Amino acid sequence: MSVEQTYTVTGMTCGHCVASVTEEVQEVPGVEGVDVVLETGQVTVTSTEPLDEAAVRAAVEEAGYQLA
Amino acid sequence: MSVEQTYTVTGMTCGHCVASVTEEVQEVPGVEGVDVVLETGQVTVTSTEPLDEAAVRAAVEEAGYQLA
């Protein structure tokens, strides 16, 4: 199974921010891929199972940003 | 001898940008300390000798930013 879910993350201002969010979200169990669009804050996460939003939120916050 | 010189760098948007500029400028020969103020773009460099501005400019550009 492959699940794709898009979240909105606020506070990213540059490519370093994108890299930080990508890195942390990739560590969430089950995540296969992370695609971040800096301009819109949209973070699309592909995973083997539906993700617990709390886990994604924690990863985003660990990177220093917020889920909208 | 200790020389302090302040430059203005454009394009820094977050703490990661500050870290990148600090890291590159610290590698310029003779540099002892680098202090970056994100809000103003001011980068104060302390060095053992007056620095060649071209070397500082190259370091800032290597980090992905511009000297004003």
Side-chain angles (χ1 to χ4, degrees):
Chain A
M1 186 164 78
S2 184
V3 181
E4 189 176 290
Q5 173 77 49
T6 299
Y7 306 87
T8 300
V9 172
T10 59
M12 296 185 294
T13 57
C14 74
H16 299 114
C17 300
V18 170
S20 295
V21 169
T22 301
E23 191 177 325
E24 290 296 338
V25 175
Q26 262 169 349
E27 288 178 10
V28 174
V31 169
E32 294 180 315
V34 181
D35 182 58
V36 179
V37 178
L38 172 61
E39 291 71 19
T40 60
Q42 290 204 312
V43 177
T44 301
V45 182
T46 309
S47 55
T48 52
E49 310 251 328
L51 297 174
D52 180 359
E53 181 170 309
V56 176
R57 181 178 302 277
V60 167
E61 291 179 355
E62 178 67 24
Y65 306 90
Q66 299 290 320
L67 265 199
Chain B
M1 185 165 77
S2 185
V3 181
E4 190 176 289
Q5 173 77 46
T6 298
Y7 305 87
T8 301
V9 172
T10 59
M12 296 185 294
T13 58
C14 75
H16 299 114
C17 301
V18 170
S20 295
V21 168
T22 301
E23 190 177 325
E24 290 295 338
V25 175
Q26 263 169 349
E27 288 177 10
V28 174
V31 169
E32 292 180 317
V34 181
D35 183 57
V36 179
V37 179
L38 171 60
E39 290 72 16
T40 60
Q42 290 203 313
V43 177
T44 301
V45 182
T46 309
S47 54
T48 52
E49 310 250 329
L51 297 173
D52 180 359
E53 182 170 309
V56 176
R57 182 177 300 276
V60 167
E61 292 179 355
E62 178 66 25
Y65 305 92
Q66 299 290 322
L67 266 199

